Structures are given as structure tokens and as C-alpha cells.
């Protein structure tokens, strides 16, 4: 058992001897990434790849290189700063689009409840249907979960509006058949 522990300690020393230069190289790559002009999405992907490489190199290590780890973390934070701003701006845009979609759903609700469909101008109703659909598509992207729930509500309103148009078509068709 003592021989085994000696051999294990020796292998651990060799592992650290081989791993330390790799960790230093990863730190250098992360620092170079901070100065690069990659777009934020590509930069974030590269940062994740380097972090995965760090984890892979650190597997099985008996001792942690806290100093190297701190350097790597600092370089990661510096490299990720432009990505953070970019992703926050994207998130703000998604929230703004979600609010616009909510407003559109509210307007459709008001339209369906307030419009006099007995004396409707059906070309205007059709135009409203098309305009609502095209406006809905311009407000993209949105957060997934909230967007999915709102999508269902929007589709329900659109179906109600479409069914009113369809009903009028059917009434007109029946009137024409009766005339014939």
C-alpha cells in the first residue's frame, strides 16, 4: 500500500507538471480573447469552450492551482463583459417586443368586444386581421415562456375574428343561393 501511495503521489506530480502549462496556455487564450474583435455570440461560445477545456484539464488533479484559477476567472470576466452588454440589450429588446405584443392582444380584445359586427365593413375587418398578423410578426424575438402563452391568446383572438369573417361569407353565400 505504501508503494502504491508513493507511485500515486509521483503520478500526481507528473500530472501537475503536465497540466500547469496547459492551464497557463488557457489563461493566455482567455486574455487574448478579451482583446479580440469577435462578435459577442462567437466570443461567448469561445469562452464556454475554453471553460470546458479548463474543466477537462483539471480532472483528476489532486491539488488546485488557486492562483491560476483566479487568473483564469478574471480573464473570463473581462472577456465576457462585452457579451454581457450584448445579451442584456437583447433581453431588453425581447421584453419590449413582448410588451408590444401584449398591447396588440389588448387592442384585439377591445376590437372584438367593441366593434359592431352586425353593421361591419368586412373589408376593414379583413384588413384588421392582416394588419394584426403582420404587426405580430414584427415584434420578434420575445421571451419563450411568456411569448408562448401570449401566442396562444393571440391565436385565439385571431380565430375569433376569422370566424366572424367566415360566418359573414357563409351568410352571403346563402343569400346568393337563395337569390338564384
Amino acid at each position: 500500500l505504501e508503494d502504491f501511495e508513493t507511485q500515486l503521489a509521483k503520478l500526481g506530480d507528473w500530472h501537475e507538471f503536465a497540466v500547469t502549462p496547459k492551464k497557463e496556455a488557457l489563461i493566455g487564450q482567455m486574455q487574448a480573447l478579451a482583446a479580440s474583435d469577435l462578435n459577442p455570440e462567437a466570443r461567448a461560445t469561445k469562452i464556454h469552450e475554453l471553460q470546458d477545456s479548463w474543466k477537462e484539464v483539471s480532472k483528476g488533479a489532486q491539488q488546485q492551482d488557486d492562483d491560476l484559477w483566479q487568473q483564469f476567472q478574471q480573464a473570463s470576466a473581462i472577456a465576457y463583459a462585452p457579451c454581457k452588454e450584448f445579451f442584456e440589450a437583447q433581453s431588453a429588446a425581447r421584453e419590449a417586443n413582448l410588451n408590444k405584443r401584449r398591447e396588440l392582444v389588448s387592442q384585439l380584445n377591445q376590437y372584438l368586444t367593441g366593434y359592431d359586427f352586425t353593421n361591419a365593413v368586412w373589408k376593414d375587418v379583413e384588413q384588421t386581421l392582416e394588419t394584426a398578423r403582420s404587426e405580430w410578426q414584427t415584434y420578434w424575438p420575445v421571451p419563450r415562456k411568456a411569448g408562448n402563452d401570449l401566442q396562444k391568446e393571440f391565436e385565439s383572438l385571431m380565430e375569433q375574428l376569422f370566424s366572424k369573417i367566415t360566418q359573414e361569407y357563409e351568410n352571403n353565400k346563402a343569400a346568393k343561393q337563395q337569390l338564384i
Side-chain angles (χ1 to χ4, degrees):
L1 187 61
E2 288 175 12
D3 289 339
F4 177 72
E5 287 177 353
T6 304
Q7 288 293 331
L8 188 60
K10 187 176 180 181
L11 285 174
D13 289 343
W14 276 106
H15 180 76
E16 285 303 315
F17 178 74
V19 167
T20 300
K22 291 179 183 177
K23 288 181 177 180
E24 290 170 347
L26 288 171
I27 291 169
Q29 289 176 9
M30 189 65 79
Q31 289 168 340
L33 188 60
S36 75
D37 60 347
L38 284 174
N39 69 43
E41 291 169 327
R43 182 185 291 225
T45 301
K46 185 66 176 166
I47 289 169
H48 288 295
E49 289 171 1
L50 290 173
Q51 288 172 337
D52 289 342
S53 295
W54 183 276
K55 289 176 189 173
E56 188 67 31
V57 166
S58 296
K59 280 185 179 177
Q62 290 180 343
Q63 72 183 61
Q64 294 290 337
D65 294 325
D66 289 335
D67 185 44
L68 292 176
W69 173 246
Q70 290 301 323
Q71 289 177 27
F72 185 75
Q73 285 298 93
Q74 288 173 343
S76 296
I78 293 169
Y80 189 73
C83 300
K84 183 177 179 183
E85 294 169 6
F86 173 77
F87 291 129
E88 286 173 353
Q90 274 190 331
S91 178
R94 282 192 298 271
E95 284 300 320
N97 286 335
L98 182 64
N99 289 333
K100 288 177 184 176
R101 281 187 168 189
R102 283 183 180 134
E103 185 178 321
L104 182 60
V105 165
S106 173
Q107 290 173 352
L108 279 173
N109 265 325
Q110 290 174 359
Y111 183 78
L112 279 168
T113 57
Y115 192 77
D116 181 17
F117 286 100
T118 57
N119 300 317
V121 177
W122 291 103
K123 289 285 185 191
D124 292 346
V125 175
E126 287 177 335
Q127 184 62 39
T128 300
L129 184 78
E130 291 173 17
T131 302
R133 177 77 59 198
S134 65
E135 246 186 82
W136 181 265
Q137 291 172 352
T138 61
Y139 302 141
W140 178 259
V142 295
R144 279 198 187 122
K145 178 155 177 34
N148 288 342
D149 295 341
L150 201 57
Q151 178 77 35
K152 290 175 186 172
E153 188 176 351
F154 176 76
E155 290 300 329
S156 171
L157 292 171
M158 294 301 282
E159 184 61 36
Q160 289 174 36
L161 190 56
F162 185 71
S163 70
K164 291 188 182 295
I165 294 171
T166 304
Q167 182 61 44
E168 182 62 20
Y169 283 147
E170 293 299 321
N171 292 344
N172 288 342
K173 185 177 176 182
K176 287 178 185 179
Q177 287 294 331
Q178 190 174 20
L179 281 174
I180 292 174

